[in-house]
Amino acid sequence: MINPVQSTRSAYIKLSLFVFLFTFTWAASFGLYAIWLGDKAGLDAIEIGTVFAVNGVFAVVIKPVYGYIMDKMGMKKHLLYFVCIVSALMAPFYIWCYLPLLQAHFVSGIIVGALFFSLGWYAGVAAEESYVDRFSRLYDMEFGRIRMWAALGWATASSFSGYLYNLSPKINFVISSISALCMFGVLLTLKVDHFGKEENNVLSKEKIVIGDVFQLLRNRKFWTFALYIAGVAWMMFIAEQQFSRYFVTFFATREEGNAMFGYMSTAQSAAEFFGMMLVPAIINRIGAKQGMILTGLVISLRLVVSGLTSDPLIICLIKPLYGIEIALILVSVFKYIAEHFDKRVNATMYLLGYQAMIYVGSIVVAPPAGYAYQKIGFEHTYLIMGLTALLFTAVSTLTLSPCYQHKKTHVMPTHDVNHDAVH
């Protein structure tokens, strides 16, 4: 008979390794995506903004589909296997498909690239995070205990990706594909088969149906949550899309800037790693809503200072704050969703209400942001973004629903919160 403690520990180690390899795989190549689009594909700021916008369109479509599939499958890994296969194709895709298409048939290149990156990264990472959240709650762990290994994977890849990029981006792509094959192998050995059939506080025997999705869209809490994402998370992620291009301008040469960006991305990932260990305790004390408000304040500070500074040292100190923001927003959002939405639609809510909404921002805001970078400069654009995030953070203090689960002495209302959230 298998020892439950050993089984849990083995599953934790293997899932943590999978999360590490997944992030390592994409960080080694996709971490320098905006720079590659400019340097190797020859795109300007407006064209790069358009690429991110089309990527966002495909992500918005595919993410809810992934969420629905996740809620249907419970703890089955079929979707994660598919994501591994897509990731393993990164080197041949970048080298023999994506670059030639962007240079010869720009529109076709954008569309094919958007499909590939949405299936492998944009929706893939969302599916992976949703699986980790569900796993952690089933095993009564903190999400951050597993998700922190993603930060370490990004830090590890970032520590050398800038240097290798200066030699040849093809090296980065080959490393990513090899890592994805290793990731697939780890996933094959992961066993969590004692969950998924019985009713519990995370999984439901009554699986999601299409009607549940429409009920979710009629829920006021869904739209107040989406308002926060639109005003705060949009600014956070869209500002980051071309931040690497702004960052390198602070240094004497582009090569020095690329290398330094890699080092600061490592520092950012270290901040995220330790943030994932410490942030859950903070959110458990102050509550998910207050965690989301705190996230908005940190985002506003980073963007405003980024727009005001001209000092390379300051911009290097600013970069790691993004890692803290990632830890804050992910832990807060998962706890907020778990408290306010039915477990049948948990993954769908995350991939639709959070992940897909983020990429609606890429459709709506990325092209004008790219135009603004070119016409008024990065610094003025970041200042506007920071003030916008601050405004929506203030509004969200009134619109987000209060959270009570962090108050251990608080007596919960007698009605079923999750049931009311859907119905």
Side-chain angles (χ1 to χ4, degrees):
M1 184 174 180
I2 298 175
N3 187 317
V5 175
Q6 290 180 343
S7 176
T8 299
R9 183 177 300 169
S10 174
Y12 167 76
I13 291 172
K14 289 175 180 177
L15 185 58
S16 297
L17 181 57
F18 171 79
V19 168
F20 172 89
L21 288 171
F22 181 85
T23 314
F24 177 92
T25 295
W26 284 93
S29 298
F30 205 67
L32 296 164
Y33 182 49
I35 294 176
W36 181 85
L37 287 172
D39 289 352
K40 304 303 179 182
L43 308 186
D44 61 28
I46 296 175
E47 290 172 328
I48 293 172
T50 302
V51 168
F52 279 110
V54 178
N55 287 355
V57 172
F58 277 75
V60 167
V61 173
I62 294 173
K63 281 173 182 282
V65 175
Y66 272 24
Y68 187 84
I69 293 171
M70 292 288 291
D71 281 324
K72 276 287 189 184
M73 293 193 307
M75 296 305 296
K76 294 177 181 177
K77 300 176 291 181
H78 300 77
L79 184 59
L80 297 183
Y81 286 129
F82 175 74
V83 170
C84 288
I85 293 170
V86 174
S87 302
L89 295 173
M90 198 177 319
F93 175 76
Y94 260 108
I95 297 169
W96 296 314
C97 179
Y98 193 40
L99 181 59
L101 277 177
L102 284 176
Q103 293 176 333
H105 306 283
F106 182 63
V107 174
S108 299
I110 290 179
I111 294 172
V112 172
L115 178 61
F116 178 84
F117 293 124
S118 294
L119 292 173
W121 172 246
Y122 292 121
V125 69
E128 171 254 320
E129 288 174 344
S130 181
Y131 191 90
V132 168
D133 170 66
R134 187 171 289 172
F135 176 94
S136 63
R137 288 187 288 121
L138 282 170
Y139 280 99
D140 196 25
M141 298 178 184
E142 284 292 349
F143 169 79
R145 280 191 60 193
I146 305 173
R147 180 56 176 74
M148 67 185 187
W149 297 106
L152 187 62
W154 196 279
T156 304
S158 298
S159 65
F160 62 79
S161 61
Y163 173 78
L164 292 180
Y165 178 89
N166 287 335
L167 296 178
S168 173
K170 293 180 181 179
I171 301 175
N172 299 65
F173 305 148
V174 171
I175 289 174
S176 292
S177 289
I178 294 173
S179 175
L181 293 174
C182 296
M183 176 174 67
F184 185 86
V186 170
L187 189 62
L188 281 172
T189 67
L190 175 64
K191 304 295 182 184
V192 287
D193 53 1
H194 60 292
F195 286 120
K197 294 183 179 179
E198 73 278 16
E199 177 83 17
N200 54 56
N201 65 335
V202 178
L203 299 173
S204 174
K205 285 184 178 179
E206 185 181 351
K207 297 300 182 183
I208 187 175
V209 296
I210 291 295
D212 293 326
V213 179
F214 290 111
Q215 287 180 336
L216 182 64
L217 293 174
R218 291 195 295 266
N219 183 358
R220 183 190 65 85
K221 289 184 179 182
F222 175 88
W223 293 107
T224 56
F225 179 87
L227 179 67
Y228 170 86
I229 300 304
V232 178
W234 281 8
M235 299 303 109
M236 171 188 173
F237 290 107
I238 292 167
E240 191 66 14
Q241 285 178 348
Q242 297 199 46
F243 187 80
S244 58
R245 300 182 69 238
Y246 178 52
F247 184 92
V248 299
T249 63
F250 283 77
F251 300 90
T253 66
R254 182 171 294 274
E255 288 72 22
E256 181 186 355
N258 290 344
M260 187 58 70
F261 184 78
Y263 301 144
M264 288 303 101
S265 294
T266 302
Q268 169 192 305
S269 298
E272 183 183 340
F273 180 84
F274 290 108
M276 283 293 177
M277 286 194 290
L278 300 175
V279 162
I282 297 173
I283 305 305
N284 287 339
R285 179 171 292 272
I286 67 175
K289 175 182 176 178
Q290 297 305 319
M292 292 167 71
I293 300 304
L294 176 60
T295 304
L297 294 176
V298 177
I299 292 169
S300 303
L301 173 66
R302 179 175 67 92
L303 294 179
V304 168
V305 175
S306 295
L308 293 176
T309 189
S310 58
D311 189 337
L313 177 60
I314 297 297
I315 205 70
C316 285
L317 293 175
I318 285 293
K319 176 62 178 165
L321 278 180
Y322 183 71
I324 301 297
E325 294 165 17
I326 290 290
L328 281 169
I329 198 167
L330 279 177
V331 173
S332 300
V333 160
F334 273 121
K335 288 183 180 293
Y336 187 90
I337 291 173
E339 182 163 350
H340 289 288
F341 297 91
D342 191 278
K343 60 189 176 183
R344 282 178 301 152
V345 298
N346 187 269
T348 301
M349 176 59 201
Y350 176 65
L351 274 89
L352 176 61
Y354 175 70
Q355 288 283 347
M357 273 300 298
I358 285 174
Y359 287 96
V360 171
S362 288
I363 301 168
V364 175
V365 180
Y371 179 84
Y373 294 147
Q374 199 146 309
K375 297 301 180 181
I376 65 174
F378 282 93
E379 56 271 45
H380 293 102
T381 307
Y382 284 145
L383 188 58
I384 294 170
M385 287 182 170
L387 294 175
T388 301
L390 184 60
L391 173 63
F392 276 84
T393 299
V395 171
S396 295
T397 61
L398 303 175
T399 57
L400 288 175
S401 300
C403 295
Y404 300 110
Q405 287 185 357
H406 65 290
K407 298 182 178 179
K408 298 185 184 300
T409 59
H410 183 87
V411 179
M412 288 293 292
T414 57
H415 64 275
D416 186 336
V417 174
N418 282 340
H419 181 81
D420 288 354
V422 171
H423 300 288

